[in-house]
């Protein structure tokens, strides 16, 4: 609650400070969960990779290398102490620095995520607006079916059908989602299908969301009053209704970006494309915990930072939100 | 030119159609020119190969598996290596190799073999360093090698001259040449490079082999380029790009689209590609071995009759049809046909429900409930489902327990190991019977002997065969060991698998028979 | 208006719109298939006939057979049962847990409330794939594990919405009145809070059913789904995907089933929400 005489800046600073604290606690909490899980999951890198070649001593040595024989608080403390200096640990199998591995892989993930979200917004928002302003029309119903179909079908199925249509039947685009040579044009071309596979589901989702939020506003009395007073339909639609649709959409986008950063595994596997999701997946399968820890930290930090920006962004738009509670948190 | 008297609609249609067509042509040609892989169908000097596990460590001491090994063996030289497409050995880095006594091997290197990146000439010091860093306890804080057991009984390597040296063993090793000297642990690294590059050596290896590694990206793959300084047989391809693609479906599509030139697939995945023009599909028997094992320590499987009943209730041919599309050869004993000591007269068990039922009745076992542990991959799941249905016919209820990799491979240890009932698993083989037999000795109970089979006779035969240097005598010992395994009825041998190669028709791939160890430097073109 | 009369009124509104009616129809078909699977299916979905794999659709096998010769149609129908059970169980658990935590969070002192919200955010930010892999590695894959994983992942979602609902409700005068009159906290929650917030939550839950089914399909793709030989739409899609080059029928048919079910639930859920939400402008 704002005290008497507190300026808007003070209030904003308090809010930011409080949110930052929460962010730190979230990151610590997530890593605590991960460390707890890694203590109970059976298996070690030696057994998983080397198979029968792995002797019990070798397994024990890997476990000791990863610090898994240490108590949980020690591991947590050491991990964060190292992370603060930029040392995310050492890949226990190849001996490389985890930070280096992640740095190699992260451009692929970031580009894919933001392109997919960007494409989803670019197509989904206009579709949602159209469906809201033409409510009940045939096109609205068709869009309903199509967008839900995109949400429903799993991303790897969409991916395989995209590949079959565009890479094999039409032969317009390549199959493999990453370039061997690193040439920009080639990378771009190979990015198209994976982006599309990820974006389609989000397009459907955003379209439905925008439509629903706009319809909420369009039904409000003040809209009808404004229209009665002669404000143009277009102004009403775009200024008020769309603005109302922004907030939940941005929230969802914030969560979506965070999810995609760590979770586009299926698409990455189908398109043989490097990414954080695939790195985490293979590292867990190998029980290569340092890599898992480093990568999960990066994913969690990116997720909370993105959501923090989103929250701060619309708390600037809508001051009411700040007064609600100790911490808003990513809603919806 | 639109006629002024024409209705506007037709005018618009004409223009729109032309524009669309024009754009399509432009876009199409732009795409064609931007494509990385050349579309021509004839032989090229660079090919792209697929692997299904990511490359991790290219340092012989810490390699993680055959996929690392295949790259290592063309980046580094060994004293001896396999001839193209054969398990027979020929000289590589050595001009001469002599076994002067059961425990001493003398070698002399060829002069002038240069390491890449300016690390100088290969000398006997490099050989000593390479072998001892794996086989002997590590010095000054270095990590122990995962492949220490390859160089078991190594006493040391003595350097006698710039190119001459002696390998001294504490005990004779019958398989030293096949499994060690000509394999991964026999790769000769540059001592200077390892000392200088430290941990980086794993991703920036320095060798003297026919190829050198020019790029290595985790999750993507690596690129090998021909080493101009290599004095031996020149490899046919200047560049080999190695791509990591875990999904078989994607590999199939990439082969069709021309982005891949060579891949090894499971027979079921490869079948549809047989019809594609320009691609050759060939089935190569593997030297891996797959079997259904039983935990002999756990009741009711501790009763021999119950195990025999299970063996008779199963129909291996049907299981293979489900698991491998009928493309995998049936295995009836431990050692695959290509290995010395393969027991050709091993009994071939056919399904006999009546006898199985009577054996169960005699053992007093009824309404058995057993768990079948498998890896959560399609072929094992399919075989397990068939086994489940077959065993249901004799009154045994089977629950399929499909685990993911890390958990599955850890199952032999501790209490989990004691609680296993049935399991289907697969081990990689090598061209040496002892390498394959080692997992079934009593010392491996609680580790890799998931059957928990304790046979002192087998242990004795194993030890005998390890130091028997006469192949004929060794064969007899090994066959006797396989007879013991058959009598225990704890093993239902399934298959030694088949690797299906799919490649451009103008490529002739090469590997040591069994297709676990590929020979990149011997890949060539037909004709 | 009694509860029943209100429900019927809502139902009528739902059926009034084309999308709502379609959604309801599809949902009914799916639920019927799930409930009456043994009668709707034609043969035992587990019966193997390896020699008859990838058979074309015929009178004996309406949709043909899969890679082990099992009847695809029967597996699809039983898959509906598994999909529905897993989805409904997971959502029910998440709904109960989330609502409980959400209500608690709304009434607890600020520190504890913040703690609950942080727990929600930790679960949301934690990559669900890591959670799934870890849990499966410890306990082995099974339908129950899928339910638990999905329930944990969805709880924060319901929790936050429940909390937001309770917060808006808290300031309502009638609640204040009840408190002043001395009503105990559990009574307030049970009689006044829950009935008012449950509506939107249930609608949200119905829209999450397709999400759960898709998550299960993704888990099956990674080999973490239900235990064989259990048929779930996720495993059917995954099996069909593996053998796509042998026959496109399995993957297409199971994907269509999943798409239609999702369509039905989403349309029904949206129509439900449209019918209940007073702010949506309705055509006269």
């Amino acid at each position: 609650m704002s005290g008497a005489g507190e300026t808007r800046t003070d209030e904003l600073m308090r809010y930011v400070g409080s949110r930052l604290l929460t962010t730190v606690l979230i990151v610590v909490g997530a890593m605590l969960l991960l460390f707890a899980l890694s203590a109970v999951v059976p298996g070690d890198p030696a057994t998983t990779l080397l198979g029968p070649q792995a002797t019990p001593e070798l397994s024990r040595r890997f476990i000791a290398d990863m610090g898994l024989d240490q108590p949980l608080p020690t591991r947590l403390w050491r991990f964060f102490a190292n992370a603060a200096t930029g040392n995310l640990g050492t890949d226990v199998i190849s001996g490389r620095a985890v930070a280096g591995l992640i740095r190699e892989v992260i451009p692929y993930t970031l580009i894919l995520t933001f392109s997919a979200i960007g494409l989803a917004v670019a197509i989904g928002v206009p579709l949602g607006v159209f469906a809201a302003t033409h409510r009940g029309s045939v096109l609205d119903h068709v869009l309903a079916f199509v967008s839900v179909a995109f949400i429903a079908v799993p991303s790897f199925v969409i991916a395989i059908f995209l590949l079959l249509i565009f890479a094999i039947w039409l032969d317009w685009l390549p199959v493999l989602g990453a370039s061997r040579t690193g040439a920009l044009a080639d990378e771009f071309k190979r990015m198209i299908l994976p982006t599309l596979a990820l974006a389609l589901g989000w397009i459907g989702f955003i379209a439905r969301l925008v439509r629903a939020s706009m319809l909420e506003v369009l039904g409000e009395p003040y809209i009808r009053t404004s229209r009665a007073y002669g404000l143009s339909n277009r102004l009403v639609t775009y200024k008020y209704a769309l603005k109302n649709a922004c907030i939940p959409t941005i929230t969802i986008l914030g969560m979506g970006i965070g999810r995609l950063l760590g979770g586009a595994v299926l698409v990455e596997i189908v398109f043989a494309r490097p990414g954080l999701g695939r790195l985490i997946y293979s590292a867990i399968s190998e029980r290569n915990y340092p890599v898992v820890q480093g990568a999960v930290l990066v994913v969690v930090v990116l997720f909370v930072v993105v959501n923090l920006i989103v929250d701060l962004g619309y708390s600037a738009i809508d001051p009411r939100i700040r007064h609600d509670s100790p911490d808003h948190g990513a809603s919806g | 030119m639109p006629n002024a008297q024409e209705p506007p609609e037709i005018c618009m249609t004409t223009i729109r159609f032309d524009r669309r067509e024009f754009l399509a042509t432009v876009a199409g040609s732009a795409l064609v020119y931007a494509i990385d892989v050349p579309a021509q169908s004839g032989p090229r000097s660079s090919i792209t190969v697929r692997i299904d596990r990511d490359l991790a460590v290219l340092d012989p001491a810490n390699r993680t598996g055959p996929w690392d090994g295949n790259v290592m063996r063309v980046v580094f030289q060994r004293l001896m290596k396999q001839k193209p497409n054969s398990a027979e050995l020929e000289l590589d880095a050595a001009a001469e190799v002599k076994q002067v006594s059961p425990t001493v091997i003398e070698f002399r290197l060829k002069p002038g073999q240069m390491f890449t990146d300016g690390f100088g000439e290969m000398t006997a010091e490099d050989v000593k360093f390479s072998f001892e860093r794996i086989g002997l306890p590590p010095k000054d804080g270095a990590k122990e090698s995962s492949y220490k057991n390859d160089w078991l009984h190594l006493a040391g390597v003595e350097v006698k001259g710039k190119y001459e040296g002696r390998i001294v063993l504490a005990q004779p090793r019958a398989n030293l040449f096949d499994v060690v000297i000509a394999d991964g642990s026999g790769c000769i690294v540059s001592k200077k490079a390892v000392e200088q590059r430290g941990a980086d050596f794993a991703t920036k290896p320095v060798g003297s082999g026919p190829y050198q590694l020019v790029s290595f990206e985790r999750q993507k793959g690596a690129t090998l380029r021909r080493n101009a300084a290599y004095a031996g047989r020149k490899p046919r391809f200047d560049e080999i790009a190695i791509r990591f693609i875990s999904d078989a479906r994607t590999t199939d599509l990439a082969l069709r689209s021309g982005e891949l030139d060579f891949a090894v697939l499971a027979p079921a995945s490869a079948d549809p590609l047989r019809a594609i023009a320009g691609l050759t599909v060939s089935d190569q028997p593997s030297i891996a071995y797959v079997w259904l094992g039983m935990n002999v320590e756990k009741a009711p499987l501790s009763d021999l009759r119950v195990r025999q009943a299970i063996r008779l209730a199963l129909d291996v041919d049907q299981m293979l049809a489900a698991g491998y599309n009928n493309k995998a050869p049936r295995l009836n004993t431990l050692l695959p046909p290509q290995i010395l000591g393969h027991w050709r007269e091993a009994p071939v068990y056919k399904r006999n429900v009546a006898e199985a039922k009577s054996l169960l009745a005699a053992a007093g076992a009824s309404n058995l409930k057993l768990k079948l542990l498998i890896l959560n991959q399609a072929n094992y799941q399919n075989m397990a489902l068939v086994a489940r249905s077959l065993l249901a016919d004799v009154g045994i209820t089977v629950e399929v327990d499909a685990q993911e990799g890390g958990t599955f491979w850890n199952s032999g240890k501790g209490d989990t190991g004691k609680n296993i009932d049935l399991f289907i698993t697969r081990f990689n083989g090598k061209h040496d019977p002892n390498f394959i037999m080692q997992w079934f000795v009593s010392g491996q109970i609680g580790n890799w002997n998931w059957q928990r089979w304790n046979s002192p006779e087998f242990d004795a035969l194993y030890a005998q065969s390890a130091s028997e240097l006469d192949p004929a005598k060794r064969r007899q010992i090994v066959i006797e060991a396989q007879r013991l395994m058959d009598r225990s009825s704890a093993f239902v041998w399934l298959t030694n698998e088949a690797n299906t190669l799919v490649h451009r028709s103008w490529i002739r791939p090469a590997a040591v028979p069994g297709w676990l160890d590929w020979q990149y430097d011997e890949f060539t073109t037909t004709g | 208006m009694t509860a029943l009369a209100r429900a019927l009124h809502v139902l009528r509104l739902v059926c009034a719109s084309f999308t709502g009616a379609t959604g309801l129809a599809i949902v009914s078909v799916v639920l019927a298939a799930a409930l009456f699977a043994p009668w709707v299916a034609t043969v035992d979905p587990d019966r193997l006939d390896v020699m008859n794999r990838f058979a074309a659709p015929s009178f004996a096998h309406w949709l043909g057979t899969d890679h082990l010769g099992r009847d695809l149609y029967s597996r699809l129908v039983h898959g509906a049962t598994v999909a529905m059970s897993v989805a409904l169980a997971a959502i029910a658990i998440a709904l109960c847990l989330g609502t409980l935590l959400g209500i608690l969070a709304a009434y607890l002192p600020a520190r504890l409330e913040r703690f609950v919200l942080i727990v929600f955010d930790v679960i949301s930010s934690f990559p669900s794939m890591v959670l799934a892999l870890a849990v499966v590695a410890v306990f082995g894959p099974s339908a129950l594990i899928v339910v638990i994983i999905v329930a944990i992942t969805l709880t924060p979602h319901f929790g936050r919405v429940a909390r937001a609902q309770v917060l808006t409700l808290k300031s309502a005068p009638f609640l204040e009145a009840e408190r002043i009159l001395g009503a105990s906290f559990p009574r307030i929650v049970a009689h006044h809070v829950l009935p008012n917030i449950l509506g939107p939550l249930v609608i949200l839950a119905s829209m999450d059913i397709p999400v759960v089914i898709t998550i299960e399909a993704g888990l099956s793709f990674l080999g973490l789904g239900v235990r064989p030989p259990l048929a779930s739409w996720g495993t059917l899609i995954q099996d069909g995907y593996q053998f796509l080059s042998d026959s496109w029928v399995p993957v297409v048919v199971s994907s269509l089933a999943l798409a239609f079910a999702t369509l039905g639930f989403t349309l029904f859920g949206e129509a439900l929400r449209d019918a209940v939400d007073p702010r949506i402008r309705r055509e006269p």
Side-chain angles (χ1 to χ4, degrees):
Chain A
M1 283 297 153
S2 51
E6 204 178 44
T7 67
R8 184 171 161 153
T9 329
D10 285 344
E11 191 191 319
L12 190 63
M13 294 309 290
R14 217 159 43 79
Y15 180 65
V16 170
S18 146
R19 286 288 283 133
L20 277 176
L21 178 61
T22 316
T23 304
V24 168
L25 287 173
I26 293 173
V27 172
V28 172
M31 296 316 294
L32 181 64
L33 179 59
L34 178 63
F35 277 64
L37 284 173
S38 63
V40 294
V41 168
D44 60 86
T47 327
T48 321
L49 272 185
L50 299 173
Q53 194 80 31
T55 58
E57 299 84 46
L58 200 61
S59 304
R60 272 195 292 270
R61 198 196 79 200
F62 271 105
I63 291 179
D65 279 348
M66 296 195 291
L68 278 177
D69 47 356
Q70 307 272 336
L72 195 68
T74 322
R75 287 169 57 203
L76 207 59
W77 172 248
R78 199 174 296 158
F79 176 73
F80 278 112
N82 283 330
T85 61
N87 173 13
L88 290 176
T90 316
D91 176 346
V92 84
I93 291 170
S94 69
R96 299 172 71 189
V98 172
L101 273 175
I102 294 180
R103 215 177 304 130
E104 240 178 45
V105 144
I106 229 185
Y108 290 99
T109 298
L110 288 175
I111 292 175
L112 186 64
T113 303
F114 285 107
S115 310
I117 294 280
L119 186 64
V121 167
I123 300 184
V125 170
L127 279 182
V129 170
F130 186 85
T133 50
H134 294 77
R135 181 166 178 265
S137 72
V138 171
L139 216 48
D140 179 27
H141 291 137
V142 168
L143 277 174
F145 279 86
V146 167
S147 52
V148 170
F150 286 155
I151 300 173
V153 182
S155 53
F156 66 94
V157 176
I158 295 183
I160 197 65
F161 280 117
L162 283 177
L163 275 177
L164 283 173
I165 297 173
F166 289 101
I168 302 300
W169 184 37
L170 290 173
D171 202 10
W172 284 356
L173 293 167
V175 169
L176 301 177
S179 156
R180 176 160 72 91
T181 57
L184 226 59
D186 195 39
E187 286 279 18
F188 177 74
K189 202 162 38 81
R190 291 175 183 279
M191 208 184 72
I192 296 177
L193 285 182
T195 307
L196 203 55
L198 279 179
L200 281 179
W202 284 101
I203 289 176
F205 203 54
I206 291 177
R208 303 310 296 159
L209 195 63
V210 166
R211 175 186 177 278
S213 333
M214 284 189 67
L215 285 179
E216 276 177 13
V217 170
L218 288 175
E220 296 269 356
Y222 76 84
I223 293 287
R224 241 175 275 181
T225 322
S226 324
R227 282 224 185 93
Y229 274 115
L231 279 176
S232 88
N233 220 7
R234 209 180 202 158
L235 183 68
V236 164
T237 312
Y238 289 113
K239 186 151 187 249
Y240 296 108
L242 196 54
K243 192 162 167 220
N244 182 55
C246 272
I247 291 176
T249 309
I250 293 178
T251 317
I252 294 296
L253 284 183
M255 285 188 64
I257 292 178
R259 279 259 164 72
L260 280 183
L261 285 173
V265 190
L266 305 182
V267 165
E268 283 167 2
I269 288 179
V270 172
F271 288 98
R273 201 189 145 83
L276 268 184
R278 207 166 167 215
L279 183 68
I280 296 178
Y281 176 68
S282 50
I284 299 188
S285 307
E286 292 166 1
R287 304 289 190 266
N288 194 351
Y289 288 118
V291 176
V292 179
Q293 287 156 10
V296 168
L297 179 68
V298 170
V299 167
V300 169
V301 167
L302 283 173
F303 180 85
V304 289
V305 163
V306 165
N307 279 293
L308 185 64
I309 294 176
V310 162
D311 280 355
L312 289 178
Y314 69 57
S315 83
I317 301 175
D318 188 350
R320 286 178 300 170
I321 294 172
R322 247 174 285 133
H323 293 264
D324 257 348
S325 58
D327 296 296
H328 188 74
S331 71
Chain B
M1 204 53 187
N3 190 330
Q5 281 167 321
E6 264 178 344
E9 299 92 298
I10 299 176
C11 196
M12 293 296 277
T13 322
T14 324
I15 291 178
R16 225 185 300 140
F17 176 77
D18 285 340
R19 196 184 311 142
R20 202 191 309 144
E21 195 181 39
F22 172 67
L23 282 173
T25 328
V26 168
S29 51
L31 283 170
V32 165
Y33 282 116
I35 287 179
D36 180 40
V37 174
Q40 76 240 50
S41 49
R44 279 175 262 122
S45 64
S46 113
I47 58 173
T48 309
V49 152
R50 174 248 187 183
I51 51 174
D52 63 351
R53 293 287 293 261
D54 205 5
L55 294 173
V57 177
L58 298 175
D59 178 350
N62 297 309
R63 64 196 190 269
T64 59
W67 44 95
D68 287 342
N70 291 338
V71 172
M72 262 171 37
R73 277 177 292 101
V74 292
V75 167
F76 302 108
Q77 280 182 289
R78 295 153 274 166
L79 289 178
M80 301 184 76
K81 68 175 188 183
Q82 288 88 2
K83 295 186 184 152
N85 287 303
S86 152
E88 271 177 51
L89 302 182
E90 63 179 8
L91 293 168
D92 181 11
E96 198 184 343
V97 176
K98 248 190 337 209
Q99 176 130 35
V100 297
S101 82
T103 55
V104 175
I105 299 165
E106 281 183 356
F107 65 87
R108 182 165 53 85
L109 293 174
K110 296 177 188 153
Q113 296 176 123
M114 307 297 287
F115 286 113
T116 56
D117 299 342
F119 279 99
E121 194 184 1
M122 181 194 297
T123 65
E125 275 294 336
D126 295 304
V127 176
K128 175 185 167 79
F129 177 76
S130 307
F131 295 172
E132 285 186 350
R133 70 194 283 255
I134 297 178
L136 297 183
K139 334 183 167 111
D140 17 273
K143 266 199 313 191
E144 200 177 69
S145 162
S146 329
Y147 285 82
K148 188 170 69 109
N149 281 339
D150 274 357
W151 276 110
L152 195 65
H153 302 313
L154 175 71
V157 179
E158 297 166 9
V159 171
K160 290 281 183 233
K162 186 172 182 198
Y163 303 116
E164 293 96 15
R166 288 155 60 108
I167 304 171
V168 181
L169 304 170
Q171 271 179 45
R173 294 268 316 263
N175 59 8
L176 192 75
F177 282 94
D178 290 300
V179 167
V180 190
I181 288 184
D183 203 332
S185 297
C187 285
I188 303 170
V189 304
S190 159
K191 177 175 179 193
K192 248 191 291 175
V194 172
E195 285 168 348
Q196 204 180 87
R197 291 192 176 177
D200 274 347
F201 190 79
T203 48
K204 293 201 192 64
V206 171
S208 54
Y211 281 107
Q212 52 177 340
L213 190 76
V214 294
S215 83
F216 178 10
E217 234 185 283
R218 192 68 182 274
Q219 293 211 354
K220 248 199 343 190
T223 308
L224 294 170
R225 198 167 293 151
R226 194 159 57 81
N227 179 5
Y230 178 66
R233 242 194 328 265
K234 190 176 119 158
R236 169 70 179 79
F237 294 108
D238 288 338
E239 200 178 86
I240 299 186
I242 303 173
R243 282 303 291 263
F244 162 48
I245 303 175
S246 56
D247 192 62
R249 195 76 290 118
T250 310
T251 309
D252 172 313
L253 294 176
L255 282 164
R256 287 171 201 257
S257 78
E259 288 160 78
L260 278 181
D261 298 306
F262 174 84
V264 173
L265 290 171
S269 315
D271 263 348
L273 291 165
R274 288 176 206 269
I276 308 289
L279 282 181
T280 304
V281 179
S282 71
D283 298 299
Q284 304 291 332
S286 168
I287 52 173
Y289 45 108
V290 183
W291 76 99
L292 185 146
M294 312 184 211
N295 180 354
V296 306
E297 273 182 8
K298 190 164 183 244
L301 296 169
S302 42
D303 188 329
L304 177 67
R305 287 167 294 191
V306 173
R307 299 203 295 272
Q308 288 171 331
I310 293 179
R311 185 161 62 182
L312 287 172
L314 290 174
D315 181 346
V316 175
D317 296 310
Q318 227 188 91
M319 287 169 74
L320 293 182
Y324 295 93
N325 245 11
N326 268 320
K327 291 289 181 339
R330 181 171 172 163
L331 185 65
N332 296 303
T333 180
L334 169 66
L335 300 179
Q338 307 95 318
I339 314 296
L340 166 75
H342 166 70
W343 184 24
R344 256 184 299 130
E345 296 83 27
V348 180
Y349 291 95
K350 288 257 175 279
R351 185 168 203 231
N352 190 333
V353 175
E355 203 182 324
K357 280 192 179 152
S358 72
L359 277 166
L360 284 174
S366 57
N367 288 329
L368 293 180
K369 281 198 180 34
L370 297 171
K371 265 192 168 176
L372 174 55
L373 173 68
I374 56 169
L375 188 59
N376 66 344
Q377 276 171 17
N379 50 341
Y380 302 114
Q381 279 171 335
N382 295 337
M383 286 197 290
L385 288 174
V386 173
R388 177 175 173 272
S389 144
L390 293 168
L391 288 173
D393 288 341
V394 296
I396 301 178
T397 316
V398 167
E399 189 194 317
V400 175
D401 187 17
Q403 298 285 352
E404 57 94 41
T407 314
F408 175 77
W409 290 113
N410 207 50
S411 305
K413 306 189 183 157
D415 284 333
T416 335
K418 296 194 187 125
N419 284 322
I420 297 180
D421 288 328
L422 306 171
F423 61 92
I424 297 179
T425 189
R426 168 198 186 277
F427 284 175
N428 271 344
K430 276 198 195 291
H431 283 271
D432 169 62
N434 273 83
F435 182 85
I436 297 178
M437 284 164 55
Q438 65 181 305
W439 316 118
F440 303 97
V441 297
S442 54
Q444 285 284 348
I445 297 179
N447 198 16
W448 293 108
N449 183 351
W450 293 7
Q451 291 82 205
R452 307 184 83 85
W453 181 52
N454 190 337
S455 164
E457 298 91 6
F458 183 86
D459 293 350
L461 288 171
Y462 171 76
Q464 240 188 311
S465 154
S467 42
E468 175 56 68
L469 297 176
D470 177 353
K473 288 205 200 120
R474 205 167 169 222
R475 183 175 290 127
Q476 288 314 310
I477 300 172
V478 165
I479 290 180
E480 187 52 41
Q482 290 169 80
R483 276 212 191 90
L484 281 175
M485 294 179 101
D486 179 65
R487 257 177 281 164
S488 78
S489 193
F491 309 88
V492 178
W493 305 109
L494 294 172
T495 173
N496 55 312
E497 285 197 329
N499 286 313
T500 309
L501 314 179
V502 184
H503 54 90
R504 303 274 145 228
S505 303
W506 46 264
I507 295 180
R508 201 162 27 163
V512 177
W515 272 94
L516 286 176
D517 292 337
W518 302 2
Q519 295 170 315
Y520 284 129
D521 53 337
E522 305 293 352
F523 273 46
T524 183
T525 49
T526 53
Chain C
M1 244 189 183
T2 65
L4 185 61
R6 195 151 55 143
L8 282 174
H9 174 71
V10 165
L11 212 57
R12 211 178 314 132
L13 278 173
V14 166
C15 293
S17 81
F18 173 64
T19 47
T22 317
L24 187 58
I26 296 179
V27 167
S28 317
V29 167
V30 171
L31 283 176
L35 279 170
F36 301 110
W39 294 278
V40 178
T42 47
V43 288
D44 177 8
D46 289 343
R47 192 146 60 94
L48 300 175
D49 187 5
V50 184
M51 304 307 160
N52 196 17
R53 46 216 301 266
F54 300 122
S58 66
F59 188 65
H61 299 285
W62 292 0
L63 290 172
T65 60
D66 69 356
H67 61 287
L68 286 176
R70 296 174 292 194
D71 180 44
L72 197 56
Y73 168 72
S74 303
R75 283 179 73 74
L76 207 62
V77 169
H78 282 264
T81 316
V82 177
M84 285 299 105
S85 332
V86 168
L88 290 172
I91 288 178
I93 296 176
L95 189 59
C96 293
L97 206 56
T99 310
L100 192 67
L101 289 173
I103 294 178
L104 276 177
Y107 278 108
L108 283 174
R111 277 261 160 79
L112 286 172
E113 181 187 11
R114 183 189 226 161
F115 175 72
V116 172
L117 287 176
I118 288 179
V119 167
F120 282 168
D121 276 338
V122 164
I123 298 177
S124 300
S125 67
F126 197 77
S128 50
M129 181 224 342
V130 175
L131 185 65
L133 271 170
V135 173
V136 168
V138 175
F139 296 106
S142 70
L144 180 63
I145 295 298
V146 174
V147 167
I148 291 178
I149 294 172
V150 175
I152 294 179
T153 324
L154 284 182
T155 302
H157 180 170
F158 290 122
R160 282 200 210 97
V161 173
R163 171 178 162 269
Q165 297 280 98
V166 174
L167 284 180
T168 40
L169 206 58
K170 243 167 114 174
S171 45
F174 79 94
L175 272 186
E176 278 295 307
E178 285 282 340
R179 228 163 40 82
I180 291 170
L181 287 174
S184 68
F185 178 68
R187 190 192 155 79
I188 294 181
V189 168
H191 281 244
H192 299 287
V193 174
L194 268 181
N196 279 296
I197 65 169
L198 222 43
L201 282 172
V202 167
I203 293 169
L204 206 62
S206 75
M207 293 176 67
D208 268 337
I209 289 179
V211 172
V212 176
I213 302 178
T214 316
I215 294 178
E216 197 268 311
L219 286 175
S220 293
F221 181 80
L222 296 175
L224 307 171
V226 299
R227 193 172 277 224
L230 203 58
S232 85
W233 285 342
T235 41
L236 286 179
I237 294 177
Q238 162 62 354
D239 287 342
Y241 173 83
Q242 287 294 332
F243 295 100
L244 193 54
S245 299
D246 285 279
S247 167
W248 54 267
V249 175
V251 83
V252 167
V253 160
S254 16
S255 303
L256 280 177
L258 179 57
F260 265 109
T262 307
L263 191 69
F265 277 101
T266 310
L267 291 180
F268 178 66
E270 284 193 354
L272 204 57
R273 194 203 45 209
D274 285 358
V276 167
D277 193 331
R279 289 181 294 170
I280 304 259
R281 187 185 70 175
R282 265 177 276 284
E283 310 292 294

